[in-house]
């Protein structure tokens, strides 16, 4: 059994993590909808990161950078001497800039960009959670063999595992998508019964069994 006592969503770290959860959800939906496109995308990404010759390409780019900087200095120095030659100054400067750029880009790795739609949805989701003082509106959520039970002093709702479509995880959060379009955002710190490292495997197992 896993029991959550919902608390306020006031930690600023939740903003970026909620966006990431929704990005994961969007990608998962896209992979189900157009698996062929993702198979090709994954193949290209795997080749780009681990493919043959990657280290050789990095070394080649470094050599290019050294050569461009050397050529730039070779052109820039005489260009600055009297009488100054603007074309040499301009060409030398551009060559040095291009060489430095080669060094900067060779190891640069871009983090996956969160789509704008996910940013907007995350903002709306958190605004709804933060509009409630959860210390006054006591809500608990229980996960056991019966399913997911949401209960408070006035309300009790049971959702069977076959209604839970997917679950995603970040460092401090879980996102459960159920009843097609509903989303439940759970903070790991709110788990008062059960172990955090066992929750995700348990939910995924229950989902796979019931569906």
């Amino acid at each position: 059994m896993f029991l959550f006592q919902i608390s306020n969503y006031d930690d600023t770290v939740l903003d970026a993590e909620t966006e990431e959860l929704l990005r994961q959800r969007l990608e998962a939906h896209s992979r189900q909808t157009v698996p062929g496109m993702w198979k090709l995308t994954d193949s290209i990404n795997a080749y780009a990161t681990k493919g043959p010759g990657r280290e050789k390409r990095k070394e080649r780019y470094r050599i290019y950078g050294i050569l461009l900087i050397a050529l730039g200095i070779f052109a820039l120095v005489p260009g600055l001497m009297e009488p100054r030659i603007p074309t040499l100054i301009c060409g030398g400067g551009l060559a040095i800039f291009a060489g430095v750029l080669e060094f900067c880009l060779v190891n640069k790795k871009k983090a996956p960009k969160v789509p704008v739609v996910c940013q907007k949805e995350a903002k709306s989701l958190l605004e709804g959670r933060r509009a409630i003082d959860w210390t006054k509106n006591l809500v608990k959520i229980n996960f056991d063999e019966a399913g997911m039970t949401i209960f408070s002093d006035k309300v009790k709702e049971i959702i069977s595992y076959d209604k839970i479509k997917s679950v995603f995880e970040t460092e401090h959060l879980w996102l459960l998508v159920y009843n097609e379009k509903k989303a439940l955002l759970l903070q790991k710190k709110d788990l008062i019964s059960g172990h955090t490292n066992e929750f995700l495997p348990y939910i995924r197992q229950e989902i796979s069994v019931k569906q």
Side-chain angles (χ1 to χ4, degrees), residues 106-173:
V106 68
N107 290 318
K108 185 176 180 181
K109 295 181 180 179
K110 293 183 179 180
K113 186 177 180 180
V114 176
V116 174
V117 64
C118 295
Q119 296 176 19
K120 291 181 178 179
E121 191 175 349
K123 182 179 180 181
S124 176
L125 182 60
L126 283 173
E127 283 179 348
R129 299 298 187 276
R130 288 168 174 168
I132 300 171
D133 185 352
W134 296 96
T135 62
K136 296 179 180 179
N137 296 269
L138 300 180
V139 175
K140 291 184 178 181
I141 302 176
N142 185 57
F143 295 85
D144 57 21
E145 64 277 1
M148 177 175 72
T149 305
I150 304 173
F151 56 94
S152 63
D153 294 337
K154 299 179 181 179
V155 179
K156 181 178 180 180
E157 181 182 7
I158 301 176
I159 297 101
S160 59
Y161 288 114
D162 64 314
K163 300 296 183 182
I164 301 175
K165 300 304 178 183
S166 52
V167 55
F168 307 97
E169 181 181 34
T170 56
E171 184 179 354
H172 300 94
L173 293 170

Side-chain angles (χ1 to χ4, degrees), residues 29-166:
H29 176 72
S30 177
R31 285 181 179 275
Q32 291 180 344
T33 306
V34 282
M37 183 194 74
W38 277 101
K39 184 177 180 180
L40 177 61
T41 301
D42 290 340
S43 297
I44 293 172
N45 289 337
Y47 179 83
T49 56
K50 300 179 182 178
R54 180 170 180 263
E55 292 302 320
K56 291 182 179 179
R57 288 196 301 271
K58 290 174 66 176
E59 189 63 31
R60 187 166 66 246
Y61 294 152
R62 291 191 183 97
I63 294 173
Y64 289 162
I66 293 171
L67 288 175
L68 285 169
I69 292 173
L71 287 172
I73 295 173
F74 182 78
L76 189 62
V77 171
L80 291 172
M81 297 175 66
E82 296 294 342
R84 295 187 176 182
I85 306 174
T87 54
L88 286 178
I89 296 173
C90 182
L94 287 174
I96 292 173
F97 176 77
V100 172
L101 193 62
E102 288 284 346
F103 279 103
C104 292
L105 294 179
V106 68
N107 290 318
K108 185 176 180 181
K109 295 181 180 179
K110 293 183 179 180
K113 186 177 180 180
V114 176
V116 174
V117 64
C118 295
Q119 296 176 19
K120 291 181 178 179
E121 191 175 349
K123 182 179 180 181
S124 176
L125 182 60
L126 283 173
E127 283 179 348
R129 299 298 187 276
R130 288 168 174 168
I132 300 171
D133 185 352
W134 296 96
T135 62
K136 296 179 180 179
N137 296 269
L138 300 180
V139 175
K140 291 184 178 181
I141 302 176
N142 185 57
F143 295 85
D144 57 21
E145 64 277 1
M148 177 175 72
T149 305
I150 304 173
F151 56 94
S152 63
D153 294 337
K154 299 179 181 179
V155 179
K156 181 178 180 180
E157 181 182 7
I158 301 176
I159 297 101
S160 59
Y161 288 114
D162 64 314
K163 300 296 183 182
I164 301 175
K165 300 304 178 183
S166 52

Side-chain angles (χ1 to χ4, degrees), residues 2 4 143 174 176 186 195-203:
F2 298 88
F4 291 82
F143 295 85
W174 288 295
L176 278 77
L186 295 172
H195 299 286
T196 55
N197 61 338
E198 297 176 357
F199 178 72
L200 187 63
Y202 173 81
I203 296 299

